[in-house]
Amino acid sequence: MRNLNFSPKAFLFDLNGTMINDMEYHTMAWYSIMTEDLGSDLDYASVKKEMYGKNHEVLERVFGKDKFSQEEIERLSVEKEKRYQAGYLPNLALLPGLNNFLDRAKAAKIPMAIGSAAIPLNIDFVVDGLNIRHYLDAIVSADDVQMSKPDPETFLKAAAALGISPADCLVFEDAPKGVESAQNAGMRCLVLTTTHAVEEFDGYPNILGYITDYNDAKLNLLF
């Protein structure tokens, strides 16, 4: 880790790819809709690059802002989440070591929050499906913000809900846009390499280090 003297007063977790390793299932659901339902010729790698932000933002980036009506966007969003949940449910699990990490943080009285671009339907699917709601002091979803990551609104709202200064928060993220959001919020970050390679995070000075899961011994320095 770059700064061994940092003792965070709160942990903020992005959800997808950070607490659970599910980004492949989001990508597969979108790829199915975009190619089979909407006739796009995008390949899988191109779809994966668009896996950030709210559902309507994904559709707008790929197809243009005026391609779909609000009703069509809502229908496609619901269908995407149905396919994602059906595909991921048999594999729903916390990342290795996270359960113990959450226990340690709770025992140390470090407040924790989720700050995610996921909609409440998906957050509840994970949080209640894995019975981790009792660890969390706040949840900020896509429905709670006007501006998606890399705008800092998600993480700033999570910090405010916990009553902790942004500079005292440590963000766990898996995506460059999420790291940028944390940077814009004035927060340091640990990166989970579940979704992107280390090389994709070049140029972000707020990154303290990289971990593959929560069994990494570097995390002991946080307590």
Side-chain angles (χ1 to χ4, degrees), residues 13-26:
F13 298 92
D14 175 53
L15 180 64
N16 309 107
T18 303
M19 301 185 84
I20 55 175
N21 193 5
D22 68 333
M23 287 308 296
E24 178 184 0
Y25 297 91
H26 284 284

Side-chain angles (χ1 to χ4, degrees), residues 136-158:
L136 302 167
D137 300 284
I139 295 175
V140 178
S141 75
D143 288 2
D144 299 315
V145 299
Q146 295 296 316
M147 302 296 294
S148 295
K149 301 173 186 179
D151 188 274
E153 184 181 4
T154 295
F155 289 133
L156 289 176
K157 280 199 167 183

Side-chain angles (χ1 to χ4, degrees), residues 49 52 60 62 89 94 115 133 163 167 172 178 184 203 205 213 221:
K49 290 179 182 178
Y52 64 92
E60 288 175 1
V62 174
L89 181 59
L94 292 175
R133 192 174 293 274
F172 292 85
N184 291 337
D213 59 40
L221 298 169

Side-chain angles (χ1 to χ4, degrees), residues 20-22 24-25 28 84-95 125 130:
I20 55 175
N21 193 5
D22 68 333
E24 178 184 0
Y25 297 91
M28 288 191 297
Y84 153 72
Q85 291 191 7
Y88 183 53
L89 181 59
N91 302 289
L92 179 62
L94 292 175
L95 281 172
F125 167 70
L130 294 171

Side-chain angles (χ1 to χ4, degrees), residues 29-113:
W30 270 128
Y31 180 73
S32 170
I33 286 176
M34 289 178 184
T35 59
E36 297 171 14
D37 296 31
L38 300 177
S40 169
D41 59 359
L42 283 175
D43 59 23
Y44 186 86
S46 297
V47 174
K48 182 179 178 180
K49 290 179 182 178
E50 304 301 335
M51 291 297 100
Y52 64 92
K54 301 179 182 181
N55 284 343
H56 74 87
E57 294 169 339
V58 174
L59 288 168
E60 288 175 1
R61 280 196 299 272
V62 174
F63 295 99
K65 193 163 187 178
D66 300 319
K67 173 69 174 177
F68 304 107
S69 68
Q70 185 60 39
E71 183 179 351
E72 288 173 319
I73 289 173
E74 291 175 4
R75 178 183 60 79
L76 290 167
S77 295
V78 169
E79 180 60 26
K80 178 263 171 178
E81 304 309 350
K82 286 181 179 178
R83 296 186 195 185
Y84 153 72
Q85 291 191 7
Y88 183 53
L89 181 59
N91 302 289
L92 179 62
L94 292 175
L95 281 172
L98 180 53
N99 198 80
N100 181 61
F101 183 83
L102 295 174
D103 280 336
R104 291 184 69 185
K106 192 77 171 178
K109 298 185 178 351
I110 298 174
M112 294 177 279

